[in-house]
Amino acid sequence: MEKAEHNFKETGHKVPVWDVATRLFHWTLVTLIVLAFVTNNFADKIGFNWHKINGYAILALVFFRLMWGIWGSSTSRFINFVKPFAAIRYFLEMFSGKGKHYLGHNPAGAMMIVALLLVVAAQAISGLFTADDISMMLFAGPFASDVSESTAEWMSYFHRIGPNLIIALVCIHVLSNIAYAVLKRDGMITAMVTGCKKSGNYSDAQSARLSHQGLAFTCFVFSAAVVFGIVYLWGDAPFL
Ligand code: HEM
Ligand code: HEM
């Protein structure tokens, strides 16, 4: 069994890996994370509201991904790839030269994805309670005035160090994806664009079972409505 996986063979035809919703989620998240830095840097020219709106959109995306992790296609479901013990085994096997090939997230990549989602979510949630100056609140999240001063200070502190964590994780994520694609000749980066990989004897599954994309659209509309609805109804100056 191990020998067969070690001697991984691809065949010519393509199999589905990532559905449209997961790919759209990924590249939209990448764009919005970049925009979070841009809107903050150019806030004096374009106004700070763009940073806030962009942050709400990130929050809605992450909320969507949580739902898609339950009802999404087989390769997007958390239950199929969040396996901490398998990640340790995978690392050990990789260093002994026996790393297996995976159709979807490999167990180590999966841990990085959980970390990325958690840190991005924490960054966006802390933004809701962040204030540049607790007494003046010139630039403030919509719920900064609803919490105690010490909570707002703590959230603001996290919101200032969080971006460094995001940059560090993204660098590891991108570099390991490039290394994996080059060394293992695994078309995983292309698959995040096209949705397909060449078929082969993968360890997790031979092909993804795709969920209905109409369901993804419904989940996305729901998550956007919840996030924007909450800040609009209960937030303090949410779009200013
Ligand atoms: C993942 C999403 C987000 C990212 C990556 C992000 C990133 C940043 C960065 C890099 C800064 C500058 C920190 C510094 O001064 O060193 C900042 C400041 C700020 N962000 Fe965000 N942000 C996000 C979401 C949000 C959200 C949702 C809100 C609120 C609606 C928000 C509100 C603020 C505020 C009020 C500041 C000013 C804090 C200050 O001047 O000290 N952010 N953000
Ligand atoms: C701000 C930058 C980025 C963030 C926050 C990010 C985040 C993520 C997340 C959350 C996933 C999981 C997808 C899912 O299951 O829904 C993922 C997967 C993936 N990303 Fe990124 N990504 C970033 C940049 C990139 C870039 C630049 C590339 C291309 C070089 C890339 C390549 C991939 C690939 C190939 C996967 C699937 C394989 C895997 O890592 O398990 N990402 N990324």
Side-chain angles (χ1 to χ4, degrees):
M1 174 73 178
E2 190 142 272
K3 200 159 187 220
E5 267 147 0
H6 189 36
N7 296 327
F8 173 77
K9 288 256 180 323
E10 279 179 345
T11 64
H13 65 280
K14 305 261 174 162
V15 287
V17 183
W18 309 115
D19 55 32
V20 178
T22 305
R23 283 177 282 148
L24 267 179
F25 158 79
H26 181 262
W27 297 113
T28 312
L29 181 67
V30 173
T31 310
L32 294 186
I33 294 282
V34 173
L35 283 179
F37 287 89
V38 173
T39 50
N40 176 64
N41 281 343
F42 293 98
D44 48 345
K45 294 202 176 66
I46 59 173
F48 198 68
N49 50 342
W50 290 111
H51 182 77
K52 292 162 78 175
I53 294 167
N54 188 72
Y56 306 145
I58 291 178
L59 209 49
L61 263 188
V62 173
F63 186 22
F64 157 76
R65 187 62 187 86
L66 293 185
M67 283 195 267
W68 205 233
I70 300 169
W71 296 300
S73 304
S74 57
T75 43
S76 301
R77 289 192 188 196
F78 296 133
I79 197 154
N80 291 337
F81 67 83
V82 182
K83 294 173 177 169
F85 291 115
I88 298 169
R89 249 196 330 269
Y90 179 82
F91 266 122
L92 295 176
E93 284 171 356
M94 200 168 64
F95 290 119
S96 60
K98 291 185 201 148
K100 297 171 184 168
H101 279 255
Y102 284 79
L103 179 78
H105 299 303
N106 69 55
M111 290 299 103
M112 170 54 77
I113 275 137
V114 171
L116 270 169
L117 287 174
L118 284 177
V119 172
V120 168
Q123 178 68 18
I125 291 170
S126 65
L128 302 176
F129 304 93
T130 288
D132 58 336
D133 182 320
I134 306 294
S135 54
M136 301 198 5
M137 300 242 180
L138 280 179
F139 299 132
F143 300 111
S145 54
D146 297 325
V147 291
S148 70
E149 234 174 67
S150 73
T151 306
E153 263 164 17
W154 205 90
M155 291 287 183
S156 310
Y157 174 71
F158 180 83
H159 203 72
R160 273 168 219 137
I161 56 160
N164 302 321
L165 265 179
I166 294 181
I167 293 171
L169 290 180
V170 166
C171 286
I172 300 173
H173 169 65
V174 173
L175 289 178
S176 49
N177 265 316
I178 293 175
Y180 201 90
V182 173
L183 299 177
K184 281 207 152 196
R185 301 184 159 276
D186 186 311
M188 56 202 292
I189 299 179
T190 318
M192 238 322 144
V193 179
T194 63
C196 298
K197 268 186 182 178
K198 282 188 188 140
S199 64
N201 53 337
Y202 296 105
S203 307
D204 49 344
Q206 303 314 313
S207 155
R209 262 178 298 103
L210 300 182
S211 295
H212 199 292
Q213 298 304 287
L215 177 62
F217 183 72
T218 312
C219 288
F220 181 71
V221 171
F222 177 75
S223 50
V226 168
V227 171
F228 281 87
I230 288 176
V231 294
Y232 179 74
L233 291 176
W234 293 293
D236 191 14
F239 303 110
L240 290 174

mmCIF file of all heavy atoms in Angstrom, residues 221-239:
data_model
loop_
_atom_site.group_PDB
_atom_site.id
_atom_site.type_symbol
_atom_site.label_atom_id
_atom_site.label_comp_id
_atom_site.label_asym_id
_atom_site.label_seq_id
_atom_site.Cartn_x
_atom_site.Cartn_y
_atom_site.Cartn_z
ATOM 1 N N VAL A 221 -24.918 34.647 0.654
ATOM 2 C CA VAL A 221 -25.880 35.743 0.862
ATOM 3 C C VAL A 221 -26.263 35.802 2.339
ATOM 4 O O VAL A 221 -26.317 36.878 2.945
ATOM 5 C CB VAL A 221 -27.132 35.549 -0.035
ATOM 6 C CG1 VAL A 221 -28.226 36.545 0.315
ATOM 7 C CG2 VAL A 221 -26.748 35.685 -1.505
ATOM 8 N N PHE A 222 -26.459 34.624 2.954
ATOM 9 C CA PHE A 222 -26.821 34.572 4.369
ATOM 10 C C PHE A 222 -25.706 35.180 5.232
ATOM 11 O O PHE A 222 -25.959 36.021 6.093
ATOM 12 C CB PHE A 222 -27.100 33.119 4.780
ATOM 13 C CG PHE A 222 -27.414 32.960 6.241
ATOM 14 C CD1 PHE A 222 -28.648 33.352 6.741
ATOM 15 C CD2 PHE A 222 -26.474 32.435 7.118
ATOM 16 C CE1 PHE A 222 -28.938 33.218 8.100
ATOM 17 C CE2 PHE A 222 -26.747 32.302 8.469
ATOM 18 C CZ PHE A 222 -27.982 32.694 8.959
ATOM 19 N N SER A 223 -24.444 34.773 4.981
ATOM 20 C CA SER A 223 -23.357 35.275 5.832
ATOM 21 C C SER A 223 -23.160 36.780 5.652
ATOM 22 O O SER A 223 -22.933 37.504 6.617
ATOM 23 C CB SER A 223 -22.052 34.508 5.609
ATOM 24 O OG SER A 223 -21.761 34.432 4.256
ATOM 25 N N ALA A 224 -23.289 37.266 4.404
ATOM 26 C CA ALA A 224 -23.150 38.716 4.169
ATOM 27 C C ALA A 224 -24.291 39.457 4.869
ATOM 28 O O ALA A 224 -24.071 40.499 5.510
ATOM 29 C CB ALA A 224 -23.156 39.006 2.675
ATOM 30 N N ALA A 225 -25.517 38.900 4.795
ATOM 31 C CA ALA A 225 -26.671 39.562 5.417
ATOM 32 C C ALA A 225 -26.482 39.624 6.936
ATOM 33 O O ALA A 225 -26.761 40.653 7.565
ATOM 34 C CB ALA A 225 -27.948 38.807 5.065
ATOM 35 N N VAL A 226 -25.965 38.532 7.534
ATOM 36 C CA VAL A 226 -25.781 38.504 8.991
ATOM 37 C C VAL A 226 -24.738 39.549 9.404
ATOM 38 O O VAL A 226 -24.981 40.394 10.276
ATOM 39 C CB VAL A 226 -25.359 37.081 9.479
ATOM 40 C CG1 VAL A 226 -24.880 37.114 10.920
ATOM 41 C CG2 VAL A 226 -26.520 36.108 9.324
ATOM 42 N N VAL A 227 -23.565 39.547 8.727
ATOM 43 C CA VAL A 227 -22.485 40.449 9.144
ATOM 44 C C VAL A 227 -22.878 41.914 8.908
ATOM 45 O O VAL A 227 -22.823 42.748 9.825
ATOM 46 C CB VAL A 227 -21.169 40.098 8.404
ATOM 47 C CG1 VAL A 227 -20.116 41.169 8.657
ATOM 48 C CG2 VAL A 227 -20.664 38.730 8.837
ATOM 49 N N PHE A 228 -23.287 42.233 7.664
ATOM 50 C CA PHE A 228 -23.616 43.636 7.370
ATOM 51 C C PHE A 228 -24.872 44.058 8.149
ATOM 52 O O PHE A 228 -24.979 45.206 8.573
ATOM 53 C CB PHE A 228 -23.777 43.849 5.859
ATOM 54 C CG PHE A 228 -22.450 43.965 5.154
ATOM 55 C CD1 PHE A 228 -21.770 42.834 4.712
ATOM 56 C CD2 PHE A 228 -21.845 45.208 4.955
ATOM 57 C CE1 PHE A 228 -20.532 42.932 4.080
ATOM 58 C CE2 PHE A 228 -20.602 45.317 4.335
ATOM 59 C CZ PHE A 228 -19.953 44.177 3.889
ATOM 60 N N GLY A 229 -25.829 43.106 8.344
ATOM 61 C CA GLY A 229 -27.047 43.415 9.097
ATOM 62 C C GLY A 229 -26.716 43.777 10.541
ATOM 63 O O GLY A 229 -27.198 44.793 11.064
ATOM 64 N N ILE A 230 -25.858 42.974 11.184
ATOM 65 C CA ILE A 230 -25.522 43.232 12.596
ATOM 66 C C ILE A 230 -24.833 44.594 12.746
ATOM 67 O O ILE A 230 -25.198 45.403 13.588
ATOM 68 C CB ILE A 230 -24.640 42.091 13.178
ATOM 69 C CG1 ILE A 230 -25.489 40.839 13.374
ATOM 70 C CG2 ILE A 230 -24.004 42.502 14.497
ATOM 71 C CD1 ILE A 230 -24.733 39.607 13.849
ATOM 72 N N VAL A 231 -23.832 44.881 11.877
ATOM 73 C CA VAL A 231 -23.127 46.167 12.059
ATOM 74 C C VAL A 231 -24.046 47.344 11.692
ATOM 75 O O VAL A 231 -23.986 48.413 12.302
ATOM 76 C CB VAL A 231 -21.788 46.264 11.278
ATOM 77 C CG1 VAL A 231 -20.778 45.280 11.809
ATOM 78 C CG2 VAL A 231 -21.956 46.121 9.795
ATOM 79 N N TYR A 232 -24.929 47.144 10.723
ATOM 80 C CA TYR A 232 -25.822 48.239 10.319
ATOM 81 C C TYR A 232 -26.850 48.522 11.421
ATOM 82 O O TYR A 232 -27.092 49.680 11.779
ATOM 83 C CB TYR A 232 -26.526 47.869 9.013
ATOM 84 C CG TYR A 232 -27.494 48.931 8.539
ATOM 85 C CD1 TYR A 232 -27.033 50.128 7.984
ATOM 86 C CD2 TYR A 232 -28.870 48.741 8.678
ATOM 87 C CE1 TYR A 232 -27.919 51.108 7.563
ATOM 88 C CE2 TYR A 232 -29.766 49.722 8.262
ATOM 89 C CZ TYR A 232 -29.283 50.903 7.711
ATOM 90 O OH TYR A 232 -30.157 51.879 7.310
ATOM 91 N N LEU A 233 -27.425 47.452 11.987
ATOM 92 C CA LEU A 233 -28.504 47.639 12.973
ATOM 93 C C LEU A 233 -27.967 48.077 14.339
ATOM 94 O O LEU A 233 -28.566 48.916 14.996
ATOM 95 C CB LEU A 233 -29.306 46.346 13.129
ATOM 96 C CG LEU A 233 -30.164 45.955 11.923
ATOM 97 C CD1 LEU A 233 -30.829 44.614 12.168
ATOM 98 C CD2 LEU A 233 -31.227 47.024 11.663
ATOM 99 N N TRP A 234 -26.842 47.477 14.764
ATOM 100 C CA TRP A 234 -26.396 47.725 16.139
ATOM 101 C C TRP A 234 -25.055 48.453 16.240
ATOM 102 O O TRP A 234 -24.641 48.825 17.333
ATOM 103 C CB TRP A 234 -26.339 46.406 16.917
ATOM 104 C CG TRP A 234 -27.699 45.837 17.113
ATOM 105 C CD1 TRP A 234 -28.693 46.392 17.887
ATOM 106 C CD2 TRP A 234 -28.242 44.642 16.546
ATOM 107 N NE1 TRP A 234 -29.813 45.613 17.815
ATOM 108 C CE2 TRP A 234 -29.573 44.522 17.006
ATOM 109 C CE3 TRP A 234 -27.757 43.665 15.690
ATOM 110 C CZ2 TRP A 234 -30.406 43.465 16.637
ATOM 111 C CZ3 TRP A 234 -28.579 42.614 15.330
ATOM 112 C CH2 TRP A 234 -29.890 42.517 15.797
ATOM 113 N N GLY A 235 -24.350 48.633 15.131
ATOM 114 C CA GLY A 235 -23.026 49.246 15.196
ATOM 115 C C GLY A 235 -23.103 50.763 15.293
ATOM 116 O O GLY A 235 -24.077 51.382 14.881
ATOM 117 N N ASP A 236 -22.017 51.337 15.827
ATOM 118 C CA ASP A 236 -21.923 52.778 15.963
ATOM 119 C C ASP A 236 -21.179 53.305 14.731
ATOM 120 O O ASP A 236 -20.025 52.935 14.508
ATOM 121 C CB ASP A 236 -21.119 53.054 17.255
ATOM 122 C CG ASP A 236 -21.178 54.499 17.641
ATOM 123 O OD1 ASP A 236 -22.025 55.226 17.084
ATOM 124 O OD2 ASP A 236 -20.361 54.895 18.502
ATOM 125 N N ALA A 237 -21.814 54.134 13.910
ATOM 126 C CA ALA A 237 -21.223 54.679 12.677
ATOM 127 C C ALA A 237 -20.481 53.590 11.886
ATOM 128 O O ALA A 237 -19.280 53.714 11.634
ATOM 129 C CB ALA A 237 -20.268 55.823 13.009
ATOM 130 N N PRO A 238 -21.187 52.503 11.476
ATOM 131 C CA PRO A 238 -20.467 51.369 10.866
ATOM 132 C C PRO A 238 -19.842 51.679 9.511
ATOM 133 O O PRO A 238 -18.884 51.034 9.109
ATOM 134 C CB PRO A 238 -21.551 50.300 10.721
ATOM 135 C CG PRO A 238 -22.846 51.027 10.732
ATOM 136 C CD PRO A 238 -22.639 52.251 11.551
ATOM 137 N N PHE A 239 -20.384 52.670 8.800
ATOM 138 C CA PHE A 239 -19.852 52.938 7.451
ATOM 139 C C PHE A 239 -19.232 54.331 7.346
ATOM 140 O O PHE A 239 -19.157 54.906 6.271
ATOM 141 C CB PHE A 239 -20.965 52.753 6.406
ATOM 142 C CG PHE A 239 -21.582 51.376 6.461
ATOM 143 C CD1 PHE A 239 -22.880 51.192 6.918
ATOM 144 C CD2 PHE A 239 -20.844 50.256 6.109
ATOM 145 C CE1 PHE A 239 -23.429 49.915 6.996
ATOM 146 C CE2 PHE A 239 -21.385 48.973 6.191
ATOM 147 C CZ PHE A 239 -22.681 48.803 6.636
#
